[in-house]
Amino acid sequence: MLADQFPDVFQGTGKLSEPYHLQIDPCAKPVVYPPRNVPLALKTALKEELDRLESLQILTPVPEPTPWLSSMVIIKKPNGTIKVCLDPKDLNKVLRGSHHPIPKIDDILPELSQAIVFSVFDVKIGFWHVELDKESSRLMCFNTPFGRYQWLRMPFGLAPAPEEFQRRQQQVLEGIPGVFTIHEDILLYGEGDTYEEASRDHDAQLYKL
């Protein structure tokens, strides 16, 4: 199995090369939001998640005041765990996007007319694979009942995030035939006159990923 052959690929959080620098309108006026109320039943889970993300170097506490301070959003997952997201609604208005096109399924289907064998790989928490530079990380501060934190990786909720992640993922996989990327999914396919030929083609591209 692939997980046995390449265990490091299936563990931890990856990091794409080159930190991301966010471009902000120089005339923008910083906004500071107070911490939102968090239900008592979620406070323990929130603190545990913040501590976990800190240990993974996804975010870090900020003891001093910062110009931008956004709100936090907590999403409760079906399995009972929580997901911490940024709510940078004011910051998003003054950030410049990557303007990188995200393909739609209709754009890809014509390329799959000869494909027989398929695999889909989900890049786990893909946005966190993009490191923020120091200046950009300073913009990603948010308030919690336990103090201020800032994201060291690209958070969910950031307007330019989908386009920037798409650009970087396509850049990494550029030149490998039989591969398409859409958001956090990587579609790999194999072509051939028979299933056996398509399987060999599929596997040959797989080991290039």
Side-chain angles (χ1 to χ4, degrees), residues 16-83:
L16 296 169
S17 61
E18 186 185 342
Y20 180 34
H21 177 71
L22 290 162
Q23 297 186 25
I24 187 171
D25 184 341
C27 298
K29 294 182 179 180
V31 177
V32 173
Y33 280 92
R36 287 176 174 168
N37 292 327
V38 175
L40 184 61
L42 291 179
K43 279 193 173 181
T44 298
L46 172 60
K47 186 60 169 69
E48 290 175 350
E49 180 64 3
L50 291 172
D51 290 345
R52 185 183 76 87
L53 296 179
E54 183 183 354
S55 70
L56 295 173
Q57 298 184 332
I58 303 297
L59 51 73
T60 187
V62 182
E64 68 276 359
T66 56
W68 286 92
L69 198 59
S70 298
S71 296
M72 170 193 63
V73 175
I74 300 175
I75 299 174
K76 192 170 183 180
K77 299 180 182 179
N79 62 4
T81 62
I82 65 170
K83 180 179 180 180

Side-chain angles (χ1 to χ4, degrees), residues 6-138:
F6 307 101
D8 57 316
V9 176
F10 295 88
Q11 298 176 4
T13 302
K15 184 167 69 172
L16 296 169
S17 61
E18 186 185 342
Y20 180 34
H21 177 71
L22 290 162
Q23 297 186 25
I24 187 171
D25 184 341
C27 298
K29 294 182 179 180
V31 177
V32 173
Y33 280 92
R36 287 176 174 168
N37 292 327
V38 175
L40 184 61
L42 291 179
K43 279 193 173 181
T44 298
L46 172 60
K47 186 60 169 69
E48 290 175 350
E49 180 64 3
L50 291 172
D51 290 345
R52 185 183 76 87
L53 296 179
E54 183 183 354
S55 70
L56 295 173
Q57 298 184 332
I58 303 297
L59 51 73
T60 187
V62 182
E64 68 276 359
T66 56
W68 286 92
L69 198 59
S70 298
S71 296
M72 170 193 63
V73 175
I74 300 175
I75 299 174
K76 192 170 183 180
K77 299 180 182 179
N79 62 4
T81 62
I82 65 170
K83 180 179 180 180
V84 177
C85 300
L86 191 68
D87 182 16
K89 57 183 179 182
D90 292 283
L91 186 60
N92 277 338
K93 296 175 184 176
V94 295
L95 287 176
R96 297 174 182 171
S98 300
H99 302 298
H100 187 85
I102 298 177
K104 300 177 182 178
I105 191 64
D106 290 341
D107 301 324
I108 294 176
L109 284 177
E111 303 290 336
L112 303 178
S113 60
Q114 303 300 317
I116 298 177
V117 179
F118 300 88
S119 290
V120 177
F121 299 90
D122 176 27
V123 181
K124 185 180 178 181
I125 318 179
F127 290 0
W128 291 358
H129 291 233
V130 180
E131 183 182 19
L132 298 170
D133 65 16
K134 188 175 181 180
E135 184 179 348
S136 300
S137 178
R138 210 64 175 159

Side-chain angles (χ1 to χ4, degrees), residues 147-208:
R148 294 179 295 270
Y149 288 80
Q150 73 182 49
W151 291 93
L152 303 175
R153 305 289 184 96
M154 190 167 67
F156 293 91
L158 194 64
E163 293 178 348
E164 181 61 22
F165 183 73
Q166 179 73 28
R167 183 187 73 81
R168 288 172 179 254
Q169 189 157 247
Q170 284 185 217
Q171 187 179 52
V172 168
L173 300 174
E174 187 177 10
I176 302 177
V179 174
F180 285 106
T181 65
I182 306 178
H183 298 291
E184 295 182 335
D185 289 330
I186 299 174
L187 172 65
L188 174 70
Y189 64 90
E191 297 178 327
D193 294 329
T194 64
Y195 179 83
E196 289 72 20
E197 287 183 6
S199 294
R200 287 195 294 270
D201 181 56
H202 168 278
D203 294 348
Q205 312 316 327
L206 172 62
Y207 285 94
K208 295 178 183 178

